[in-house]
Amino acid sequence: MFTEKYTEKVLEHFTHPRNIGTLEDADGVGEVGNPACGDMMTFYIKVRDGRIVDVKYKTFGCVAAIAVASVVSEMAKGRTLEEAKALRNEDIARELGGLPKQKWHCSVLGAKALKEAILDYEARISGQSREKGPQKPRRKQTCPECGVENPITARFCMQCGAPLEKKS
C-alpha cells in the first residue's frame, strides 16, 4: 500500500489521528509548511498557568505529516510552554518509532508548527506582534470553496486545500 516503510505507531496515528480540528478561541496559532510540496500544518493551543491544556491541529499532507501532527498534539498536552518549545524533531520521530529518511522533514514541520503556536501565544500576551508594533486583532477569511473560516494568514484552506485570496 505504501512505498515507504512506516512503523506500527506511525500507521496507528495516521489511521486514527488524535486531536484533529481547530480551537476557535485559541491562545496561539502556528502555521508552517510548503503548499507546493503538499505538507501544511496549523497548530492551535490553549494555555492555562503556563501549561498547554489543549491542542488541535489541521494537517494537509502525507501519511508521515498526519502521524507527526497527531503525536505532537499528544506530546504537547500538559507540558509547560518551555518544555513544549524544547521538543525537537528527533523526539517526535523517536516517539513514532522512527520515520523513513525521506519523511524526516515532517517531524521538523511538527516541531516548528508547535513552536510557532507558542511564539504566537507569547506575542499575544505581551501585546506585541511577532514582527513589530502592537498586535492586530486576529481576523479570519472564509474559503470560497467550502465556506470554512481560516486564519487570515493562511494561503490555503485547512479544510479543503483550496487557495485563499491574500488579504492586506
Side-chain angles (χ1 to χ4, degrees):
M1 180 174 174
F2 303 110
T3 57
E4 293 88 6
K5 182 170 172 53
Y6 292 112
T7 66
E8 285 184 33
K9 193 158 185 184
V10 169
L11 294 175
E12 168 61 24
H13 276 274
F14 170 68
T15 57
H16 301 98
R18 286 71 154 174
N19 305 308
I20 295 173
T22 60
L23 293 170
E24 290 302 318
D25 57 347
D27 295 322
V29 179
E31 182 181 24
V32 299
N34 182 348
C37 78
D39 293 325
M40 295 285 298
M41 290 184 195
T42 302
F43 272 80
Y44 306 84
I45 60 170
K46 197 70 159 156
V47 179
R48 292 294 170 266
D49 300 322
R51 286 195 181 275
I52 297 175
V53 295
D54 200 6
V55 180
K56 300 282 186 200
Y57 66 88
K58 291 279 192 163
T59 285
F60 183 80
C62 63
V63 170
I66 293 166
V68 162
S70 177
V71 83
V72 167
S73 72
E74 287 191 324
M75 293 174 76
K77 274 189 186 178
R79 290 186 188 243
T80 66
L81 295 172
E82 291 308 311
E83 290 168 340
K85 270 199 290 192
L87 280 176
R88 300 171 311 157
N89 63 307
E90 295 92 346
D91 303 323
I92 296 161
R94 187 177 313 108
E95 184 68 21
L96 286 167
L99 287 169
K101 185 177 182 177
Q102 66 273 26
K103 298 298 180 178
W104 192 254
H105 69 279
C106 294
S107 64
V108 174
L109 283 177
K112 187 173 181 186
L114 178 62
K115 187 172 183 177
E116 288 295 319
I118 294 167
L119 293 173
D120 181 53
Y121 164 75
E122 291 173 340
R124 289 181 191 203
I125 62 168
S126 72
Q128 296 297 310
S129 161
R130 293 206 23 227
E131 286 77 38
K132 58 186 173 183
Q135 174 115 5
K136 294 180 182 176
R138 278 273 185 200
R139 296 179 312 176
K140 299 195 183 249
Q141 58 183 327
T142 302
C143 174
E145 297 294 321
C146 69
V148 168
E149 287 191 342
N150 291 271
I152 195 70
T153 58
R155 291 178 295 224
F156 293 86
C157 177
M158 297 309 294
Q159 179 69 31
C160 71
L164 299 169
E165 291 182 22
K166 188 67 181 163
K167 309 285 184 194
S168 50

